[in-house]
Amino acid sequence: MSTIPVSAAVPAKISYKVSFPDAQAHYADIEMTVSGLQQPSLEVKMPVWAPGSYLVREFAKNIESLSATANNKAVTATKISKNTWKIATAGIGSVTVKYKVYAFELSVRTSFVDASHAFLSTTGIFLYPKGMINQPSTIKIIPYKDWDKVSTSLEKVGGDAFTLTAPNYDILFDSPIEIGTQDIFGFEVNGVKYDVAMYGGGNYDKARLSADMAKIVEAETGVFGENPNKHYTFIVHNRQRNGGGLEHLSSTVLGASRDQYGSERGYQGFLSLVAHEHFHLWNVKRLRPIALGPFDYDNENYTTNLWIAEGFTAYYQNLMLRHAGIVPEDGFLSAMVGDINTVENTPGTKVQPLAESSFDAWIKGYRPNENSVNTGISYYDKGAVIGMLLDLEIINSSAAKSSLDDVMKYMYNTYYKGKGRGYTDAEFKAGFEKFAGKKLDAFYADYINGLAAIDYNKYLGYAGYKLTDELAGTNEPTLGVNLGKAGSKITVMAVLRDGPAWKDGINVGDEIVAVDGTPVTDQAEIMKNKKIGDKINITVNRDGKAYILPVTLLRNPRQKNKIESLSAPTEKQLAVRKKWLKL
């Protein structure tokens, strides 16, 4: 006969108080109270990573001055692992844990506090009691000075914006909180209320943004047939230079440059980010790989399917702007060419399969080094390309009756809504095959688990397009390096696999000083009047010593592709094109 633990018999009550007495010094003070205890000890833990950002970041490193009290008396709190404290609670019904969090990294995945605002990325702020991940909690926020607004997807308690509640820790850790004097505006789509919280100012047009963001929401909702939220929050951090985003269940955090809204390119770039992160509320937050939930907050959560979770989202961020009528046909095709060029100009695409890129996100994708371009491929970029190929395959095979949209909706309804769980790799493959009407074993072997060169024209041809490399007929020589310049110094930042520098021993970090004895101060001077096959002597400064390295120049393999229409597309091809691009 099994025994139910005493701690599970009567649910504990958990509450937090967050204050900022030292906001100017970048600290948040946390007071956590757990009552209803009936156990000899309580372990409290902090997550080591933030879901959606696949890297162990060790958030507990920012905690200091942790102490525990009960009945106004100190109780023993001992750190027993990198992110766990054990508190003696024998004979104690309620304990309060106090600690400070240093927060001075303003990114979409980390917390930041200063005198102007606080951004709480909750995985790095709130300890949770071990074994109580499904327990509800309340958060009382004591604002600093003139802070008068809170932006979050968490529900308010009694209409008080500064008192919040979370039904469990998965939702608390998926609900960032912005506190300050942010500019808030909003819109509504199909009964769902949207708030946009802008920190840092900027040259944005609220009316235009509201209208275009609503179009994106409507287009994306159309893919899945429903929006599972009652309200949704965009938290936008506008800085001099900023970017990136992180998805959450009913909100997202975006980084933007405060002046980017004034140019069409910058504005479109922001809308693309909006489309990407908002699409995630379905794809990955609900329709997810089976490994990504319930989350293990102590360890890595491995999956081979980030090419679907992130790569397809990268594909849809462009497709949705087209379907919403925000970008024209050529704008969408140019975006896809950008992904294709990135894939084809990355040497690592011939080394790392797409599924492996996903699995190794934890140790490679988020920890790039000077050799990453040679050893790996982004599951964002190649995943977006694969999304395009599968979309075209399904549209063509179904005589333009179905598309990748139908697969996404079917998988969402079947696994998130129907089975209440994530999908396996085999299950998503079966979903593709259901709507393609054919087995995709060879496709997976070649493009997902293998390293075959992508036959772009086969798939683009379904829609009456072709891919052309504008550099295919050129004979431009190359040294095979990526260079950086600081002042008059030209430094090697990357050495590309199988290029001249790779073969002849130029190193990352080398400062290029001269070519054939002639000093160079500009990158253009290195290859001036050179041709393929030339043997040149490169003088480099390496660790304070001069070296002369003989190098034989080779043809530059870089591609510059474009997608263009076939001269006489067939009726079937035009039907595929119309379905694909909603022309």
Side-chain angles (χ1 to χ4, degrees), residues 324-511:
I326 293 173
V327 301
E329 172 189 355
D330 59 353
F332 166 73
L333 295 177
S334 293
M336 293 313 305
V337 164
D339 289 327
I340 291 170
N341 286 342
T342 297
V343 170
E344 296 304 319
N345 290 323
T346 300
T349 196
K350 298 177 181 178
V351 176
Q352 185 185 51
L354 186 55
E356 182 183 298
S357 171
S358 170
F359 197 84
D360 282 349
W362 297 90
I363 60 171
K364 291 185 178 181
Y366 280 83
R367 286 194 175 103
N369 61 23
E370 68 282 352
N371 198 42
S372 292
V373 68
N374 295 314
T375 63
I377 188 64
S378 166
Y379 49 80
Y380 283 88
D381 299 313
K382 191 170 183 180
V385 169
I386 294 301
M388 178 185 75
L389 302 187
L390 284 168
D391 202 2
L392 287 166
E393 177 65 58
I394 292 165
I395 297 171
N396 183 70
S397 297
S398 68
K401 293 184 178 66
S402 301
S403 70
L404 186 59
D405 289 9
D406 296 285
V407 179
M408 302 302 287
K409 184 177 181 179
Y410 167 77
M411 295 297 292
Y412 173 81
N413 287 332
T414 301
Y415 292 95
Y416 168 66
K417 295 183 69 177
K419 299 181 184 294
R421 65 168 174 84
Y423 57 82
T424 66
D425 183 78
E427 287 167 343
F428 219 118
K429 178 173 176 288
F432 294 135
E433 292 173 339
K434 174 181 175 65
F435 289 92
K438 63 173 68 175
K439 287 290 186 180
L440 294 171
D441 294 356
F443 187 96
Y444 264 68
D446 287 345
Y447 300 149
I448 310 304
N449 301 311
L451 299 170
I454 296 174
D455 186 354
Y456 292 103
N457 283 325
K458 171 185 175 181
Y459 296 92
L460 288 169
Y462 292 152
Y465 292 110
K466 64 179 179 178
L467 187 75
T468 304
D469 177 10
E470 296 179 290
L471 301 179
T474 63
N475 286 303
E476 176 188 87
T478 185
L479 193 57
V481 295
N482 293 336
L483 300 173
K485 188 174 182 182
S488 61
K489 290 185 177 182
I490 303 170
T491 304
V492 177
M493 307 304 292
V495 176
L496 303 182
R497 184 182 291 271
D498 295 330
W502 174 284
K503 293 176 180 294
D504 294 326
I506 292 177
N507 291 352
V508 169
D510 286 350
E511 178 194 348

Side-chain angles (χ1 to χ4, degrees), residues 132-275:
M132 300 185 193
I133 202 78
N134 292 318
Q135 294 294 98
S137 60
T138 59
I139 302 101
K140 177 67 178 176
I141 296 169
I142 312 300
Y144 179 76
K145 290 190 176 178
D146 61 345
W147 296 354
D148 60 357
K149 298 185 184 74
V150 175
S151 297
T152 182
S153 60
L154 291 172
E155 297 292 339
K156 303 172 186 176
V157 176
D160 179 4
F162 290 88
T163 304
L164 308 169
T165 183
N168 56 57
Y169 279 93
D170 284 328
I171 288 182
L172 176 58
F173 291 150
D174 215 5
S175 305
I177 306 169
E178 175 74 22
I179 312 156
T181 59
Q182 61 269 23
D183 181 22
I184 301 174
F185 61 94
F187 55 91
E188 189 172 305
V189 178
N190 298 327
V192 181
K193 186 178 184 299
Y194 280 79
D195 285 330
V196 183
M198 291 284 200
Y199 164 78
N203 61 348
Y204 51 88
D205 179 329
K206 296 180 190 180
R208 186 185 183 194
L209 267 181
S210 295
D212 285 338
M213 291 172 75
K215 292 176 185 177
I216 292 168
V217 169
E218 188 169 8
E220 293 184 344
T221 302
V223 174
F224 295 92
E226 68 171 21
N227 188 329
N229 293 297
K230 293 181 180 178
H231 59 86
Y232 187 96
T233 302
F234 289 97
I235 298 172
V236 186
H237 292 145
N238 294 295
R239 306 179 71 191
Q240 184 175 5
R241 296 183 66 181
N242 202 13
L246 186 64
E247 70 275 4
H248 296 281
L249 196 67
S250 302
S251 63
T252 188
V253 186
L254 310 178
S257 300
R258 65 174 62 97
D259 294 329
Q260 77 177 80
Y261 308 95
S263 72
E264 201 56 30
R265 180 178 179 182
Y267 182 71
Q268 297 283 358
F270 179 75
L271 291 182
S272 180
L273 180 61
V274 166

Side-chain angles (χ1 to χ4, degrees), residues 14-69:
I14 307 163
S15 64
Y16 299 88
K17 183 169 73 173
V18 185
S19 59
F20 309 92
D22 295 310
Q24 79 291 340
H26 321 299
Y27 278 93
D29 285 31
I30 316 297
E31 190 174 299
M32 173 190 189
T33 300
V34 185
S35 57
L37 295 172
Q38 302 180 51
Q39 57 202 74
S41 64
L42 175 71
E43 291 184 17
V44 293
K45 306 171 69 67
M46 177 163 277
V48 304
W49 68 291
S53 181
Y54 306 103
L55 177 68
V56 171
R57 297 182 185 274
E58 311 293 18
F59 294 121
K61 67 187 177 183
N62 294 318
I63 289 181
E64 60 182 74
S65 305
L66 186 142
S67 63
T69 59

